[in-house]
């Protein structure tokens, strides 16, 4: 049996690669949405986001009771990070592809989902 | 969707129309079984689609749409966006809101209509929108073309 090939990560782990690429392509997200998109546990996403926040790459803003996370616009190399993530998204669409299942555009109130 | 029915449908149909005095659309749609729901849109017991009449004008980004396709089936006439405008309309939801499902739909419609999708028109429009409004990121246009590939 062939040994499982280890896919090298760019930002330290597959989960970090996924979250950063999704935030770069989608703009923002939140804890439970990320867990649902990637089919992983909330604590795994929570740990990954916490570390990304400590590293300064990601910030969270409160919208009512939801904390939406996005790339930190004040990070010192945000322009270069966005350029790198844009290139990563083009080269590895599988990192953000699961996000296409989620509708994030507004819907007029009262309309069915 | 008109051009790519297999693509995920939003299950709503928007028509930019001008009616007479307020309430005319209610009367007209009532004759074919539609009832108003929540004051904004109409439902029919035998249709999964909701129908809405946005205020208009018909525009994609800052560009007003002044021409469209006319499809005829017997006595029925349907006025729909040009294929490239349909792709632009789907893409706009990604450009403005980061909605990846809309990006995916835009790519699928562009593939479905093949040569009817005018790449140069799309690219020129997307660039102009980004020039006028710095909220729009040209990286999203590049991502669209990378997903689309050669058509």
């Amino acid at each position: 049996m062939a040994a499982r090939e280890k896919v090298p990560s760019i930002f330290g782990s597959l989960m970090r690669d996924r979250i950063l690429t999704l935030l770069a392509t989608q703009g923002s997200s939140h804890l439970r949405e990320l867990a649902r998109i990637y089919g992983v546990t909330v604590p795994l996403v929570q740990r990954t986001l916490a570390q990304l926040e400590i590293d300064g790459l990601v910030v969270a803003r409160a919208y009512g009771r939801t904390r939406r996370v996005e790339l930190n616009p004040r990070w010192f190399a945000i322009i270069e990070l966005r350029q790198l993530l844009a290139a990563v998204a083009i080269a590895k669409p599988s990192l953000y592809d699961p996000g296409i299942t989620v509708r994030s555009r507004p819907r007029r109130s009262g309309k069915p989902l | 969707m008109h051009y790519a029915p297999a693509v995920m449908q939003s299950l709503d149909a928007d028509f930019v129309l001008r009616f007479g005095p307020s309430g005319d659309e209610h009367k007209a749609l009532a004759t074919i079984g539609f009832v108003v729901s929540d004051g904004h849109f109409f439902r029919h017991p035998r249709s999964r689609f909701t129908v809405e009449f946005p205020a208009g004008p018909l525009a994609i980004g800052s560009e007003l749409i002044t021409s469209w396709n006319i499809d005829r089936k017997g006595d029925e006439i349907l006025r729909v966006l040009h294929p490239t405008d349909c792709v632009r309309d789907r893409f706009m939801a990604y450009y403005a809101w980061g909605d990846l499902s809309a990006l995916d739909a835009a790519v699928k419609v562009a593939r479905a209509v093949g040569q009817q999708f005018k790449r140069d028109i799309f690219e020129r429009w997307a660039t102009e929108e980004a020039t006028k409004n710095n909220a729009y990121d040209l990286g999203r246009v590049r991502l669209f073309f990378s997903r689309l590939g050669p058509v």
Side-chain angles (χ1 to χ4, degrees):
Chain A
M1 197 169 89
R4 182 182 288 183
E5 188 182 349
K6 190 173 186 330
V7 180
S9 75
I10 299 161
F11 297 99
S13 73
L14 176 60
M15 205 60 226
R16 285 169 67 99
D17 290 2
R18 283 170 160 177
I19 289 175
L20 290 171
T21 311
L22 189 94
L23 295 180
T25 53
Q26 185 173 285
S28 68
S29 188
H30 60 86
L31 178 62
R32 289 185 188 282
E33 182 179 78
L34 287 165
R36 194 168 60 245
I37 285 173
Y38 292 110
V40 298
T41 62
V42 169
L44 172 60
V45 176
Q46 205 162 23
R47 279 198 304 276
T48 310
L49 282 176
Q51 192 57 53
L52 286 169
E53 281 191 65
I54 291 168
D55 294 343
L57 299 177
V58 160
V59 289
R61 288 199 274 181
Y63 290 84
R65 295 175 62 185
T66 305
R67 285 181 88 231
R68 291 201 71 85
V69 288
E70 59 190 283
L71 296 177
N72 182 359
R74 297 186 63 179
W75 195 57
F76 78 102
I78 187 63
I79 293 169
E80 292 81 1
L81 177 63
R82 284 191 189 280
Q83 287 170 344
L84 174 60
L85 287 168
V88 169
I90 287 173
K92 300 175 82 172
S94 61
L95 289 173
Y96 71 90
D97 255 351
I100 66 176
T101 58
V102 176
R103 178 191 169 119
S104 51
R105 62 188 183 279
R107 180 174 280 270
R108 187 183 285 201
S109 59
K111 261 193 165 180
L113 290 173
Chain B
M1 277 184 195
H2 184 69
Y3 294 111
V7 175
M8 182 202 78
Q9 297 195 344
S10 59
L11 295 179
D12 54 10
D14 293 343
F15 295 94
V16 179
L17 297 175
R18 208 173 291 156
F19 290 95
S22 177
D24 279 11
E25 69 272 31
H26 292 227
K27 290 177 201 158
L29 282 162
T31 63
I32 53 173
F34 278 90
V35 290
V36 70
S37 180
D38 277 350
H40 300 302
F41 56 91
F42 295 84
R43 288 173 176 281
H44 191 284
R46 287 168 52 200
S47 175
R48 293 190 303 149
F49 283 82
T50 57
V51 172
E52 191 178 1
F53 300 96
L58 184 57
I60 304 174
S62 60
E63 187 177 314
L64 294 177
I65 300 301
T66 54
S67 74
W68 40 81
N69 275 2
I70 298 178
D71 278 9
R72 289 190 165 84
K73 198 188 285 180
D75 292 341
E76 296 169 353
I77 293 175
L78 181 64
R79 293 177 174 84
V80 289
L81 293 174
H82 291 304
T84 303
D85 291 343
C86 180
V87 176
R88 292 197 296 171
D89 180 60
R90 293 298 80 203
F91 177 79
M92 197 65 213
Y94 176 58
Y95 220 5
W97 306 109
D99 186 324
L100 287 167
S101 68
L103 171 67
D104 186 53
V107 169
K108 285 177 174 164
V109 174
R111 284 196 191 127
V113 299
Q115 296 300 314
Q116 293 183 82
F117 170 62
K118 304 299 179 199
R119 206 182 174 98
D120 54 334
I121 292 175
F122 181 96
E123 200 161 13
R124 194 166 52 241
W125 161 81
T127 306
E128 280 175 16
E129 290 294 330
T131 307
K132 291 175 196 165
N133 185 341
N134 60 14
Y136 298 142
D137 174 9
L138 281 173
R140 291 185 170 175
V141 181
R142 287 190 286 275
L143 194 63
F144 167 80
F145 280 116
S146 80
R147 289 182 76 89
L148 180 61
V151 175

